[in-house]
């Protein structure tokens, strides 16, 4: 049993599964967030209702625990594997041009991951924490007015830039991560492997664009 | 051609190493990289110095013994080529070339550019074989294997065990080496029988030897002299998961 | 007729019954006794690895040695073309007898009938064994094994795995060996070089080995010693062999009393890449299989300066097709090499140094298309491009002959035991099956058959008498003496402090040997070579330069030891070539040729194997003759016209 946890291959499986779940979550989250782009009045009510629905539903609540677990496991795994890699590398190369053989993002998943993680900390603190534990005014339907909190936050250009950079980091992380996760889980057929890579690219680009336009449009609109 | 060299010199695994500068004047573009090192060594010995120790044997790209980092790339600038098959026409007059050993914790340095790759042997020892004793074999044609099966098994079997995949990997993972052997034997009916034992043992041995994990950067395939596909790694993952999840012990 | 030393131990009975008769009568060692018996196997190529694995599977305790950093790198790995077996899958009239006859004829009737027959007889089982190990041999679309033809035969009996047959067979054997390492039946000593053989009461009982990583001198004892150390073609310096291939193990065994047989018979391979300059360290072999589709030619005019593709058809001389119409480009190696040398010597060589001939694929490319050619020889074409920078799909390859395989080696009897009790030699290290010339794709076969199917029986026959003998005591005074001598020799290399490196000596020796004891030999040349070698050997003793010391990694010291042995082997080769006043197979004496320049054998006087005995003076070895008795086949003139 111990070896199961110590084993890099199973660790990578866990990494892949949690990563894929998080990727799936990104779709749902994006669909929800796109409501922010509806005409203002409609957006406010709709978005607040949606948030209320999410926070009240027991199933969603369970899913959200899975989500937190995934983020945690994905991060812990990354740290574990990072340390392992460092150990395995032994003495450093004095001149290193190995990078010519691989893509930039595939070599910098850790770095990208750190950006995403830091972003998550800020993101959670500013919205999730506020919504859950902070005092928020209510909209006319009596739901907590998360919409206004969000829209006001993106008044600041710095905040928009912070988000944009984080989304780009996320995009590159996905560009490698989605296809790589399938490999780690064992998709070895050349055709499907290629297909997944192409779909993975498409997915990453669409998700990134989707997330990117939201703060930018809100900023421009206001 | 005149070539400037910065070569890693290290007495043994316990001492500290460093780069030393050398110049080789009479380099011919048709020389192989190793012949260029021979030329340098001849010069060094004549000067009463210790020649540079490096691994090499067949010098035709098949034994897998040679292998150094040349300008920070395993086996040098040509893709899918061993160090011995690299020729000086890949360099320009006046170039400075950095030469270092393959570096990985699982490959201790023996001296200078010579390393100990017995960790790879131990991975094979753990399960990289078909358990057949001499004399037990049935008639060869009694196990038909289609042309495609044989060809893809060969693609995986072509590994020469040089360790460039490990050296090229940012995590020093031996996944390509191990995956190739697992896939080779899995693709043939003779080897299939033992796949689940083989894959578990080999993956665990890889772990014990202190190799890193695979993060699918695919650098290994680019530098692999035999261009072994990274899909062999996916196959290993698949077989491993299958044996852990589906196979009854 | 045989001297007692040269008892060949060929079993009674008709040719096809000899091996089964032997097996029927051979003594056995019972399974519970096997684990008490230790065997040392030096070398982990096809013969060494297969023998060590097979013996360990049977239950013996095996110690396996190799100088490479892992057993998988032994030079069997470099064999490209294939392995022969009389399976007759092609229904083209092949049989054990025909394979035996082809091999015997290919060797110019200078090998033992019984041994050669056994080689053919066991060939089919080898393919079965390799398949079971997972060797990915080429297949037909329906799933059955595919064959191709090779030099010197008129049937398709060669099994192959792309251009890497040796590598794949070796990996099979290596994996079996490693399986026994896991089972703790084999103890592996990689990066160890054998320095001496230890005899106790005239039986081989152990070796002295040097750990190449630490410089430590070690003693290893056993009940029997097996040498599977390959060939010594590297003696020519420029050869197709790996840099580390050497004669040291067999030569040091020779100095302890094992006879060397026919040492001068070296196969010069016709399709290697030509030398490009004085810095060259080795010549790369291009598989003979290329001659299946490639056509060899030189320009008719020796002052030709045009590029090969610009030379019109009628100004090319396809000399092999012209001289040997029935075998054409697939003439046996010795003949193809000599024919190439003839053209090169006549000034028709091509390339900058005028030392090569063209190997042209344009017709095959036209006939089959690039894809088929790529599938058949893709890796060879890639290799050619990597080495020369030339794309052989567009322009003919340039090839030239290079030293390749030692038909000679330690003299062994039918049981593969040398003239020392308990010392066996298998694979290329012995002299047995190929006569004066080896057919293509027979070397992998011999190595495997010796290791998998012969030695396990014959060694048991010997060990049956050793069951009661306790483990060898490595504190015995014989070990003391041997170790002392090894240390002294290493010390002497280091303290000579001369001006020439071992490699420089090696190059000089190689050139001398290639010129005078290579493709063609003459009395005058050989005598001169002997004189020169003696001089060079003397100089080696006083003018050698080896840096560093013995208690560390020191590849210069390793080389010095090997070259020191070559210096003596080379002289024996010349002496051997000189006494054989005939031409046969790879041994071509200029004085003994037919009117049209073919080898002229003298069966009346030279139908024997020359087994040389060490006399402490390398210049005066003692000749023992093992007569070759042809009971079943009548030697004929070997013609491939």
């Amino acid at each position: 049993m111990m070896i199961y946890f110590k084993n890099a291959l199973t660790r990578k499986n866990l990494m892949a599964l949690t990563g894929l779940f998080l990727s799936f979550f990104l779709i749902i989250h994006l669909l929800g967030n796109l409501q922010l782009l509806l005409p203002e009045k409609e957006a406010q009510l709709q978005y607040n209702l949606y948030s209320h629905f999410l926070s009240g539903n027991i199933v969603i609540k369970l899913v959200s625990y899975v989500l937190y677990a995934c983020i945690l496991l994905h991060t812990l795994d990354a740290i574990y594997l990072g340390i392992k890699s460092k150990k395995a590398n032994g003495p450093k190369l004095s001149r290193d041009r190995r990078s010519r053989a691989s893509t930039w993002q595939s070599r910098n998943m850790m770095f990208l991951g750190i950006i995403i993680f830091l972003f998550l900390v800020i993101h959670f603190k500013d919205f999730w924490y506020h919504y859950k534990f902070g005092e928020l005014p209510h909209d006319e339907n009596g739901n907590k007015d998360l919409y206004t909190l969000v829209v006001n936050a993106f008044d600041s250009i710095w905040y928009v830039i912070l988000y944009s950079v984080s989304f780009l980091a996320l995009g590159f992380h996905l560009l490698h991560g989605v296809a790589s996760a399938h490999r780690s889980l064992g998709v070895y057929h050349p055709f499907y492997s290629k297909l997944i890579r192409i779909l993975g690219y498409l997915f990453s680009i669409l998700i990134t664009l989707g997330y990117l336009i939201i703060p930018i449009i809100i900023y421009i609109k206001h | 051609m005149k070539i400037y060299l910065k070569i890693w010199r290290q007495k043994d695994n316990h001492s500290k190493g460093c780069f030393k500068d050398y110049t080789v004047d009479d380099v011919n573009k048709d020389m192989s990289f190793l012949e260029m090192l021979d030329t340098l060594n001849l010069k060094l010995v004549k000067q009463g110095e210790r020649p540079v120790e490096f691994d090499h044997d067949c010098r035709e790209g098949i034994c897998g013994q040679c292998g150094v980092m040349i300008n920070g790339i395993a086996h040098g600038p040509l893709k899918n080529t061993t160090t011995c098959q690299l020729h000086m026409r890949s360099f320009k007059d006046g170039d400075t070339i950095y030469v270092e050993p393959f570096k990985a914790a699982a490959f201790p340095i023996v001296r200078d550019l010579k390393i100990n790759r017995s960790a790879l042997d131990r991975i094979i020892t753990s399960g990289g074989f078909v358990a057949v004793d001499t004399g037990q074999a049935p008639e060869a044609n009694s196990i038909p294997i289609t042309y495609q099966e044989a060809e893809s098994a060969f693609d995986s079997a072509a590994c020469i065990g040089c360790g460039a995949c490990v050296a090229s990997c940012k995590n020093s993972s031996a996944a390509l080496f191990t995956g190739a052997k697992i896939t080779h034997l899995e693709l043939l009916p003779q080897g299939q029988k033992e796949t689940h034992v083989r894959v578990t043992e080999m993956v665990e041995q890889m772990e014990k030897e202190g190799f890193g994990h695979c993060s699918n950067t695919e650098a290994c395939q680019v530098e692999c002299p035999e261009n072994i596909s990274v899909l062999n790694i996916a196959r290993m993952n698949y077989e491993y998961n299958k044996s852990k999840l589906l196979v009854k012990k | 007729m045989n001297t007692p030393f040269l008892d060949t131990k060929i079993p009674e009975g008709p040719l096809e019954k000899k091996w089964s008769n032997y097996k029927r009568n051979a003594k056995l060692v019972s399974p519970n006794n096997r684990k008490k018996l230790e065997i040392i196997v030096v070398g982990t190529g096809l013969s060494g690895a297969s023998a060590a694995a097979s013996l360990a599977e049977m239950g013996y305790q095996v110690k396996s040695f190799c100088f490479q950093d892992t057993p998988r790198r032994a030079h069997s790995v470099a064999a490209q073309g294939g392995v022969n077996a009389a399976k007759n899958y092609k229904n083209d009239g092949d049989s054990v007898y025909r394979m035996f006859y082809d091999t015997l004829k290919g060797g110019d009737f200078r090998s033992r009938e019984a041994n050669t027959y056994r080689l053919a007889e066991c060939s089919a089982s080898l393919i079965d064994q390799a398949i079971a190990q997972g060797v990915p041999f080429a297949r037909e679309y329906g799933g059955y094994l595919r064959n191709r033809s090779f030099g010197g035969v008129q049937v398709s009996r060669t099994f192959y795995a792309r251009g890497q047959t040796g590598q794949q067979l070796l990996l099979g054997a290596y994996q079996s060996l490693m399986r026994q390492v896991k089972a703790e039946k084999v103890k592996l000593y990689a990066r160890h070089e054998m320095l001496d053989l230890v005899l106790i009461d005239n039986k081989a009982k152990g070796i002295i080995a040097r750990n190449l990583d630490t410089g430590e001198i070690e003693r290893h004892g056993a009940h029997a010693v097996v040498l599977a150390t390959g060939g010594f073609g590297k003696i020519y310096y420029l050869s197709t062999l790996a840099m580390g291939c050497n004669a040291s193990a067999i030569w040091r065994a020779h100095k302890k009393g094992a006879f060397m047989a026919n040492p001068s018979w070296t196969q010069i391979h016709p399709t290697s890449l030509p030398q490009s300059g004085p810095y060259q360290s080795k010549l790369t072999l291009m598989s003979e299989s290329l001659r299946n589709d490639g056509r060899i030619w030189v320009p008719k005019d020796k002052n030709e300066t045009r590029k090969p593709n610009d030379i019109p058809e009628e100004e090319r001389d396809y000399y092999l097709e012209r001289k040997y119409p029935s075998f054409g480009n697939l003439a046996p190696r010795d003949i193809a090499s000599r024919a190439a040398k003839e053209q090169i010597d006549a000034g028709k060589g091509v390339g900058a140094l005028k030392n090569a001939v063209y190997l042209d694929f344009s017709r095959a490319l036209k006939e089959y298309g690039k894809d088929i050619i790529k599938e058949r020889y893709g890796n060879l074409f890639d290799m050619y491009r990597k080495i020369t920078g030339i794309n052989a799909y567009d322009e003919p390859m340039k090839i030239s002959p290079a030293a390749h395989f030692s038909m000679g080696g330690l003299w062994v009897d039918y049981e593969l035991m040398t003239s020392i009790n308990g010392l066996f030699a298998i694979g290329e290290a012995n002299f047995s099956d190929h006569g004066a010339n080896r057919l293509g794709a027979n070397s992998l076969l011999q190595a495997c058959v010796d290791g998998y199917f012969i030695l396990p029986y014959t060694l048991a026959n010997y060990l049956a008498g050793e069951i009661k003998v306790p483990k060898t005591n490595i504190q015995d005074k014989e070990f003391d003496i041997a170790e002392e001598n090894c240390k002294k020799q290493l010390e002497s290399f280091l303290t000579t402090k001369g001006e020439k490196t071992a490699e420089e000596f090696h190059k000089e020796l190689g050139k001398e040997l290639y010129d005078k004891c290579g493709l063609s030999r003459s009395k005058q040349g050989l005598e001169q070579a002997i004189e020169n070698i003696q001089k060079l050997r003397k100089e080696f003793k006083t003018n050698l330069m080896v840096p560093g010391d013995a208690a560390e990694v020191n590849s210069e010291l390793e080389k010095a030891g090997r070259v020191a042995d070559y210096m003596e082997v080379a002289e024996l080769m010349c002496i051997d070539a000189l006494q054989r006043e005939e031409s046969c197979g790879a041994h071509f004496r200029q004085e003994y040729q037919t009117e049209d320049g073919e080898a002229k054998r003298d069966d009346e006087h030279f139908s024997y194997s020359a087994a040389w005995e060490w006399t402490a003076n390398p210049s005066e070895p003692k000749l023992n003759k093992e007569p070759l008795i042809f009971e079943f086949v009548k030697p004929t003139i070997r013609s491939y016209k």
Side-chain angles (χ1 to χ4, degrees):
Chain A
M1 198 64 194
M2 249 343 257
I3 189 86
Y4 188 79
F5 286 107
K6 274 192 189 157
N7 180 328
L9 204 146
T10 35
R11 285 293 185 140
K12 283 295 287 183
N13 276 325
L14 190 64
M15 188 81 138
L17 288 171
T18 52
L20 288 177
F21 182 81
L22 292 170
S23 307
F24 175 69
F25 165 76
L26 284 175
I27 306 177
I28 309 294
H29 193 40
L30 177 63
L31 291 179
N33 284 4
L34 283 174
Q35 298 172 69
L36 288 166
L37 300 182
L38 291 169
E40 189 165 348
K41 200 65 206 159
E42 204 180 319
Q44 185 187 18
L45 293 178
Q46 175 83 33
Y47 190 72
N48 289 344
L49 178 70
Y50 166 75
S51 314
H52 180 74
F53 166 74
L54 286 187
S55 61
N57 190 310
I58 178 81
V59 179
I60 302 287
K61 204 167 199 124
L62 284 177
V63 174
S64 72
Y65 286 129
V66 176
L67 184 69
Y68 305 144
C70 279
I71 295 176
L72 215 64
L73 285 174
H74 201 77
T75 315
L76 287 176
D77 242 18
I79 295 170
Y80 171 80
L81 290 173
I83 293 170
K84 191 177 163 57
S85 159
K86 200 149 204 116
K87 254 201 204 145
N89 278 335
K92 261 193 148 160
L93 277 175
S94 312
R95 191 178 162 83
D96 191 346
R97 278 185 51 226
R98 293 180 295 177
S99 55
R100 69 119 181 215
S102 54
T103 56
W104 178 83
Q105 64 270 20
S106 73
R107 276 174 282 114
N108 290 285
M109 291 298 273
M110 184 62 123
F111 167 69
L112 294 166
I114 291 171
I115 299 184
I116 298 166
F117 188 80
L118 292 177
F119 162 77
L120 280 181
V121 172
I122 299 171
H123 186 63
F124 267 65
K125 181 193 144 291
D126 286 357
F127 299 122
W128 178 83
Y129 183 81
H130 255 276
Y131 189 81
K132 274 251 147 123
F133 306 108
E135 287 292 311
L136 273 183
H138 290 74
D139 67 7
E140 50 195 61
N141 285 347
N143 294 323
K144 282 188 179 178
D145 192 3
L146 184 62
Y147 176 81
T148 315
L149 180 74
V150 171
V151 172
N152 289 343
F154 289 117
D155 273 350
S156 152
I157 180 77
W158 294 113
Y159 212 69
V160 175
I161 289 172
L162 171 76
Y163 266 61
S164 305
V165 169
S166 310
F167 290 149
L168 282 175
L170 175 69
F172 278 106
H173 199 79
L174 290 175
L175 215 51
H176 176 69
V178 175
S180 169
H182 287 84
R183 284 274 178 78
S184 299
L185 291 174
V187 179
Y188 63 78
H189 192 288
F191 175 75
Y192 297 110
S193 176
K194 201 166 194 174
L195 188 70
I196 285 170
R197 166 160 300 177
I198 294 168
L199 292 179
Y201 277 180
L202 257 147
F203 170 82
S204 321
I205 293 167
L206 288 179
I207 290 284
T208 314
L209 284 179
Y211 277 103
L212 259 180
I213 54 170
I214 296 173
I216 295 175
I217 289 182
I218 295 178
Y219 180 76
I220 295 169
K221 263 199 194 164
H222 291 261
Chain B
M1 274 163 60
K2 188 172 185 163
I3 294 286
Y4 301 95
L5 291 163
K6 286 183 182 295
I7 298 183
W8 189 263
R9 304 300 305 257
Q10 184 169 338
K11 195 169 177 322
D12 53 41
N13 199 33
H14 313 294
S15 13
K16 243 175 84 67
C18 64
F19 278 115
K20 282 248 166 69
D21 290 351
Y22 302 99
T23 316
V24 187
D25 293 314
D26 37 2
V27 176
N28 182 303
K29 70 174 176 40
D30 286 328
M31 263 182 188
S32 73
F33 187 83
L34 296 182
E35 281 163 358
M36 186 272 295
L37 287 183
D38 287 343
T39 313
L40 169 70
N41 274 349
L42 180 64
K43 198 172 107 177
L44 290 180
V45 176
K46 293 261 173 183
Q47 289 167 1
E49 286 174 55
R50 284 305 303 269
V52 180
E53 294 285 350
F54 59 92
D55 281 315
H56 64 106
D57 199 26
C58 82
R59 297 206 177 185
E60 47 187 271
I62 192 74
C63 77
Q65 181 136 318
C66 66
V68 288
M69 300 298 285
I70 299 167
N71 282 337
I73 299 170
H75 291 310
L78 290 186
K79 291 177 181 168
N80 305 127
T81 305
T82 55
T83 303
C84 63
Q85 298 290 74
L86 173 70
H87 284 69
M88 294 311 289
R89 67 181 81 91
S90 298
F91 300 93
K92 288 195 306 288
D93 187 25
D95 272 0
T96 302
I97 306 175
Y98 287 78
V99 192
E100 269 177 279
F102 284 172
K103 283 183 179 169
F107 291 165
I109 291 178
V110 175
R111 188 181 187 124
D112 298 340
L113 307 173
K114 239 183 182 57
I115 53 166
N116 180 342
R117 281 166 288 198
S118 52
L120 297 181
D121 275 339
R122 290 190 290 273
I123 294 179
I124 297 294
T125 305
S126 69
F129 46 74
V130 177
V132 55
D133 283 351
T134 306
Q136 290 177 334
E139 153 64 31
N141 258 346
S142 64
I143 320 168
I145 296 164
T146 65
Y147 171 81
Q148 283 85 0
E149 284 169 334
E151 288 298 298
S152 33
F154 191 103
D155 286 337
S156 304
C159 167
I160 60 173
C162 64
C165 47
V166 178
S168 305
C169 176
K170 73 182 195 61
N171 309 316
S172 301
S173 166
L176 191 65
F177 172 83
T178 314
K181 186 45 66 195
I182 289 167
T183 310
H184 159 211
L185 296 175
E186 155 65 25
L187 284 172
L188 298 169
Q190 309 87 303
Q192 231 161 39
K193 292 266 173 272
E194 299 166 79
T195 294
H196 69 272
V197 185
R198 176 183 306 123
V199 71
T200 345
E201 300 262 326
M202 286 178 80
V203 165
E204 272 160 24
Q205 189 64 38
M206 187 165 71
E207 202 71 23
K208 272 186 228 153
E209 298 293 343
F211 289 106
H213 65 289
C214 169
S215 52
N216 299 311
T217 69
E218 305 186 356
C220 49
Q221 183 178 350
V222 177
E223 311 299 4
C224 171
E226 295 291 327
N227 195 14
I228 306 254
S229 164
V230 289
L231 292 176
N232 284 292
I233 302 175
R235 181 80 184 227
M236 168 175 74
N237 297 339
Y238 170 80
E239 298 298 345
Y240 184 80
N241 289 338
K242 193 170 94 177
S243 78
K244 282 286 170 196
L245 297 173
L246 301 179
V247 177
K248 254 201 227 161
K249 289 276 143 55
Chain C
M1 176 150 163
N2 289 357
T3 57
F5 289 108
L6 290 176
D7 181 5
T8 55
K9 298 189 202 152
I10 294 172
E12 291 302 313
L15 193 55
E16 58 277 10
K17 287 278 165 52
K18 283 188 189 296
W19 181 227
S20 36
N21 281 348
Y22 177 86
K23 286 197 282 190
R24 197 164 59 207
N25 299 325
K27 282 177 269 176
L28 298 173
V29 180
S30 72
N32 57 340
N33 278 330
R34 291 180 203 156
K35 60 178 178 287
K36 294 182 214 153
L37 296 171
E38 289 179 307
I39 302 164
I40 285 174
V41 180
V42 186
T44 57
L46 263 176
S47 62
S50 58
S54 301
L55 292 167
E57 285 160 8
M58 294 165 80
Y60 299 105
Q61 293 292 341
V62 178
K63 290 180 174 183
S64 169
F65 293 80
C66 67
F67 72 81
Q68 296 90 344
D69 70 342
T70 139
R72 65 181 291 158
R73 310 212 195 282
H75 201 56
S76 306
V77 83
Q80 297 169 348
V83 53
N84 287 334
K87 283 275 198 188
N88 195 27
Y89 284 159
K90 284 279 184 181
N91 197 27
D92 58 0
D94 199 8
S95 65
V96 169
Y97 184 83
R98 192 177 290 274
M99 180 167 172
F100 149 73
Y101 187 79
D102 283 344
T103 306
L104 200 71
K105 178 186 169 197
D108 221 351
F109 302 96
R110 285 293 173 265
S111 56
R112 257 184 232 148
E113 275 181 333
N115 283 53
T116 311
Y117 191 87
R118 180 176 62 185
L119 178 74
E121 190 180 342
C122 298
S123 63
S125 327
L126 164 69
I127 301 300
D128 301 341
Q129 178 66 22
I131 292 289
Q133 286 171 345
V135 172
F137 279 123
R139 299 276 172 165
E140 301 292 353
Y141 283 92
Y144 297 103
L145 285 152
R146 180 182 276 192
N147 293 114
R148 65 178 164 204
S149 58
F150 237 66
V153 299
Q154 286 169 314
V155 295
S156 286
R157 66 161 76 98
T158 306
F159 294 79
Y160 65 100
R162 289 196 199 152
Q164 287 154 314
T165 318
Q167 180 203 26
Q168 292 307 318
L169 279 174
L170 181 63
L171 288 181
Y174 156 75
Q175 285 163 201
S176 295
L177 176 69
M178 295 320 259
R179 173 167 163 252
Q180 294 308 314
V181 171
K182 187 182 189 184
E184 296 182 355
K185 298 302 290 179
V186 172
K187 198 153 174 0
L188 189 65
Y189 296 88
R191 302 269 307 137
H192 277 67
E193 183 159 69
M194 169 179 157
L195 293 185
D196 208 355
L197 178 75
V198 182
L199 290 139
I200 300 177
D201 301 330
N202 288 321
K203 282 181 182 168
K205 285 292 181 181
I207 61 167
I208 304 290
R210 178 166 180 264
N211 180 334
L212 300 180
D213 281 347
T214 60
E216 213 173 312
I217 308 289
E218 298 171 2
R219 303 171 176 198
H220 296 276
H223 291 87
V225 177
V226 179
L227 298 184
T229 53
F232 49 89
K234 185 72 194 162
I235 194 169
Y236 290 92
Y237 192 73
L238 284 178
S239 76
T240 64
L241 279 83
M243 302 302 284
C245 290
N246 62 74
S248 291
I250 57 172
W251 189 249
R252 289 173 196 201
H254 171 67
K255 287 167 117 175
K256 285 282 170 90
F259 297 168
M260 277 288 268
N262 307 327
S264 71
W265 291 351
T266 307
Q267 179 166 77
I268 311 284
H269 198 289
T271 52
S272 132
L273 300 186
Q275 185 180 10
S276 68
Y279 45 79
Q280 191 109 3
S281 58
K282 79 155 278 166
L283 299 172
T284 303
L285 177 74
M286 302 304 281
S287 168
E288 171 170 296
S289 63
L290 289 171
R291 290 200 276 142
N292 267 308
D293 286 308
R295 301 176 71 201
I296 294 174
W297 61 276
V298 289
K300 280 185 180 159
D301 179 8
K302 65 177 179 184
N303 299 319
E304 186 62 66
T305 51
R306 285 173 290 182
K307 287 211 160 125
N309 287 337
D310 298 336
I311 302 174
E313 208 50 29
E314 61 276 11
E315 288 175 44
R316 300 173 175 190
D317 179 13
Y318 294 91
Y319 58 86
L320 282 177
E321 294 172 19
R322 172 169 59 79
K323 289 173 73 173
Y324 308 99
S326 67
F327 281 72
N329 292 298
L330 281 174
R333 291 177 175 174
D334 55 337
I335 290 183
S337 293
R338 218 151 40 228
K341 183 179 155 65
E342 217 173 82
Q343 299 299 327
I344 293 167
D345 288 348
K348 291 185 188 168
V350 298
L353 300 175
K354 289 207 141 235
N355 59 354
V357 296
Y358 288 125
L359 177 63
D360 198 332
F361 287 87
S362 51
R363 190 158 86 181
L365 281 163
K366 226 177 274 165
E367 206 166 307
Y368 305 115
K370 192 172 166 182
D371 288 343
I372 301 266
I373 296 299
K374 195 168 190 166
E375 187 199 309
R376 286 185 191 162
Y377 313 110
N379 68 320
L380 297 170
F381 278 55
D382 287 349
M383 195 156 117
Y384 187 75
R385 187 181 39 76
K386 278 175 187 168
I387 295 170
T388 62
I390 293 169
N391 181 355
Y393 293 103
D394 301 335
E395 175 177 328
M397 288 183 180
K398 287 195 262 302
I399 54 160
S400 83
H404 181 56
F405 184 90
S406 315
M407 274 80 69
L410 288 180
W411 181 90
V412 290
D413 57 23
Y414 189 73
E415 301 187 313
L416 304 181
M417 187 151 85
T418 65
S419 46
I420 297 176
N421 266 331
L423 179 72
F424 292 76
I426 56 176
E428 194 179 341
N430 73 25
F431 88 114
S432 72
D433 303 342
H434 305 297
N437 174 53
R438 176 177 65 77
L439 286 186
N442 263 354
S443 71
L444 291 178
L445 176 70
Q446 187 223 340
C448 290
V449 165
D450 282 2
Y452 285 123
F453 303 116
I454 300 176
L455 190 73
Y457 294 95
T458 60
L459 190 57
N461 188 48
Y462 170 78
L463 287 173
E466 300 286 303
I467 296 170
K468 298 216 177 75
V469 179
K471 279 193 176 177
T472 300
N473 174 20
I474 56 167
Q475 303 310 330
D476 192 282
K477 71 171 193 323
E478 293 295 335
F479 276 95
D480 292 341
I481 298 168
E483 183 178 327
E484 200 45 47
N485 286 339
C486 292
K487 283 183 170 161
K488 259 192 218 145
Q489 191 197 28
L490 294 174
E491 207 42 51
S492 76
F493 293 145
L494 290 162
T495 48
T496 309
K497 301 224 180 289
E499 278 169 356
K500 260 158 85 173
T501 66
E503 202 144 322
E504 285 175 296
F505 278 109
H506 193 175
K507 276 187 188 177
E508 253 176 78
L509 178 71
K511 180 140 186 10
E512 186 68 25
L513 213 51
Y514 191 81
D515 287 347
K516 304 199 175 87
C517 191
L519 271 168
S520 97
R521 298 132 183 216
S522 69
K523 182 164 192 281
Q524 193 196 357
L526 288 165
E527 278 167 351
Q528 205 181 350
I530 291 174
E531 204 174 298
N532 291 344
I533 291 166
Q534 285 171 349
K535 261 189 236 151
L536 199 61
R537 192 165 61 223
K538 209 172 273 166
E539 193 197 340
F540 183 83
K541 288 210 173 94
T542 53
N543 199 21
L544 175 72
M545 165 192 251
V546 180
D549 63 77
E552 57 179 2
V553 187
N554 191 340
S555 49
E556 287 297 313
L557 186 62
E558 294 162 28
K559 281 185 213 162
R562 293 169 192 163
V563 177
D565 294 330
Y566 283 147
M567 288 287 177
E568 295 170 356
V569 181
E571 187 172 355
L572 183 63
M573 285 171 74
C574 293
I575 294 173
D576 181 52
L578 191 61
Q579 65 82 29
R580 189 168 285 277
E581 293 176 333
E582 64 159 351
S583 294
C584 59
H587 171 70
F588 188 77
R589 282 282 298 267
Q590 284 160 16
E591 305 94 319
Y592 308 98
Q593 50 180 310
T594 60
E595 275 163 27
D596 44 0
E598 300 298 331
K600 196 166 151 194
R601 238 173 38 218
D602 179 357
D603 287 344
E604 199 184 321
H605 299 102
F606 292 95
S607 186
Y608 63 77
S609 291
W612 298 93
E613 188 176 345
W614 176 255
T615 59
N617 178 355
S619 304
E620 282 169 12
K622 180 170 171 250
L623 175 63
N624 300 291
K625 294 179 185 174
E626 181 209 321
L628 293 167
I629 301 155
F630 292 93
E631 284 179 78
F632 305 95
V633 168
K634 196 178 162 328
T636 55
I637 291 173
R638 180 167 165 258
S639 165
Y640 289 93
K641 294 211 162 178

